[in-house]
Amino acid sequence: MEGCIFCKIVKGEIPSDKVYEDDQILVFRDIHPQAPVHYLVIPKKHITSISEVTDADLELVGHMINTAVRMAVAAGIADKGYRLVTNSGMEGGQVVDHMHWHILGGRQLSGELG
Ligand code: AMP
């Protein structure tokens, strides 16, 4: 989508620190990490938020979650535990309007995003 920062990352117009990529999704390191491991999982297709997901996207969302779990294992944070969260809308704390799942771990998390 025009002007969307994460669409620009998908297109390679803005650099990102990629951890995983396939034809449907991209995983990269958050530019302002809130934990020792802080990855973002995004669909290559522009979906504004989890609230905009349709039945046709359910397989894609499942693939994102499944990949997030695999990334947590690969990052070595799965045994002690981690958080997988997506913010939706202004009061949900969503700043970038392209659906993304945060993978946070590597320290004790508490509170809202920890
Ligand atoms: P949210 O508040 O859930 O919309 O989260 C947006 C996240 O995107 C924040 O944690 C930002 O640090 C992160 N972010 C914004 N721009 C970039 C970028 N160019 N590369 C990596 N992460 C980014």
Side-chain angles (χ1 to χ4, degrees), residues 1 4-7 46-49 87-90 94-100:
M1 191 197 220
C4 170
I5 185 169
F6 285 178
C7 285
H46 184 89
I47 301 174
T48 302
S49 76
N87 298 325
S88 182
M90 195 181 59
Q94 185 176 11
V95 174
V96 177
D97 289 336
H98 180 127
M99 179 171 64
H100 51 279

Side-chain angles (χ1 to χ4, degrees), residues 5-6 9 14-17 28-34 38 40 85-88 92-98 100 102 113:
I5 185 169
F6 285 178
I9 285 177
I14 291 177
S16 66
D17 193 353
F28 53 96
R29 288 186 172 81
D30 195 292
I31 205 164
H32 297 301
Q34 294 179 41
H38 188 173
L40 299 174
V85 65
T86 187
N87 298 325
S88 182
Q94 185 176 11
V95 174
V96 177
D97 289 336
H98 180 127
H100 51 279
H102 298 259
L113 250 189

